[in-house]
Amino acid sequence: MSRVLVVEDDAQLLRALRINLRARQYDVDVAPDGATALSVAARFPPDLVILDLGLPDMDGVEVVHALRGWSSAPILVLSARGAQAEKVTALDAGADDYVTKPFGMDELLARIRSALRRAAPADTAPIIRTDAFTIDLPARRLTTDEGEVRLTPTEWHLLEILVRNPNKLLSQRHLLNEVWGPSYETETNYLRVYIAQLRRKLEPDPSRPRHLLTEPGMGYRFQP
Ligand code: CA
């Protein structure tokens, strides 16, 4: 049974989340503000945290920072529509994913399952298969229906980070930092160019990508 900590100051939403999560056999702790969240998390270490970014006593991003000091549990942030900068800051602080309010319970539950699966200590499969292509990471071989596809070292690097984090939203800054280095963190057009190249090589219809997905203004997600 997974332990989920829900941090939300909207009492009605908090109640709805608690009922829905308990109905699906999660062990649920709740907190209406950041300070309570941190003390509950310390007493009952969660397997996953659902965190509203707009809290009455402190910025949700501070809660992410504080939790990341000692916990590697996935953090799923809830944020208001349009609060783009806030979501990016939360992801950079170590949050794993976000859901925009208002959201459907089914969507949230799917994100929770996916975050918990990723957090499970499974070694990343060195061979990744989708309906469009197969990637053999150790052999650095990429094949599609058309045969073997050649990638440049930079394309490999970028693709490898994405496919090693299936379904996870990776922020632009994180990808730029990993592939090109810290001084390139704002060069988002590098990413656009390289992602477009990868889509041309991998996606059956590069204009309607199904595996290398853009989250506008946020980053990219590999969907197997
Ligand atoms: Ca709130």
Side-chain angles (χ1 to χ4, degrees):
M1 194 143 98
S2 298
R3 180 159 219 135
V4 178
L5 169 61
V6 186
V7 190
E8 171 60 71
D9 60 318
D10 176 338
Q12 225 178 326
L13 179 55
L14 185 64
R15 187 164 172 275
L17 289 169
R18 191 178 55 202
I19 290 169
N20 273 283
L21 290 168
R22 286 209 173 130
R24 279 151 187 95
Q25 317 304 322
Y26 291 105
D27 214 340
V28 185
D29 295 308
V30 296
D33 56 59
T36 311
L38 294 176
S39 76
V40 170
R43 258 182 303 148
F44 307 107
D47 297 308
L48 178 135
V49 180
I50 299 172
L51 172 68
D52 177 31
L53 287 181
L55 294 171
D57 60 334
M58 61 169 95
D59 192 333
V61 174
E62 287 176 56
V63 179
V64 175
H65 273 297
L67 285 171
R68 276 293 166 262
W70 60 273
S71 170
S72 59
I75 302 174
L76 224 157
V77 299
L78 306 179
S79 92
R81 189 167 295 283
Q84 203 75 351
E86 186 186 63
K87 285 183 281 197
V88 174
T89 316
L91 291 171
D92 283 333
D96 295 88
D97 204 350
Y98 73 95
V99 177
T100 305
K101 291 179 175 179
F103 51 84
M105 203 51 78
D106 286 343
E107 184 196 353
L108 181 71
L109 291 166
R111 295 291 181 86
I112 292 172
R113 285 193 298 273
S114 155
L116 286 170
R117 262 199 310 275
R118 281 196 306 268
D123 45 359
T124 340
I127 308 227
I128 290 115
R129 287 191 180 83
T130 72
D131 56 0
F133 52 85
T134 301
I135 301 169
D136 181 339
L137 286 173
R140 290 213 151 199
R141 257 176 76 92
L142 166 65
T143 42
T144 66
D145 291 345
E146 326 262 280
E148 192 170 352
V149 179
R150 301 235 162 255
L151 296 184
T152 68
T154 304
E155 287 169 349
W156 259 115
H157 196 173
L158 179 58
L159 182 65
E160 178 161 1
I161 297 169
L162 285 160
V163 301
R164 280 192 185 277
N165 294 278
N167 297 310
K168 183 171 158 70
L169 170 61
L170 299 174
S171 73
Q172 294 176 341
R173 187 191 289 194
H174 174 76
L175 290 169
L176 285 163
N177 192 4
E178 289 288 315
V179 179
W180 285 276
S183 49
Y184 291 84
E185 279 181 353
T186 54
E187 303 286 342
T188 52
N189 52 329
Y190 277 48
L191 271 178
R192 268 197 298 278
V193 168
Y194 276 85
I195 292 281
Q197 279 171 207
L198 285 173
R199 282 179 181 147
R200 271 198 298 278
K201 294 183 175 184
L202 298 181
E203 297 272 3
D205 181 356
S207 62
R208 276 188 219 86
R210 283 184 295 120
H211 301 288
L212 301 178
L213 306 183
T214 303
E215 295 270 349
M218 304 286 299
Y220 297 90
R221 197 191 288 273
F222 166 63
Q223 189 166 277

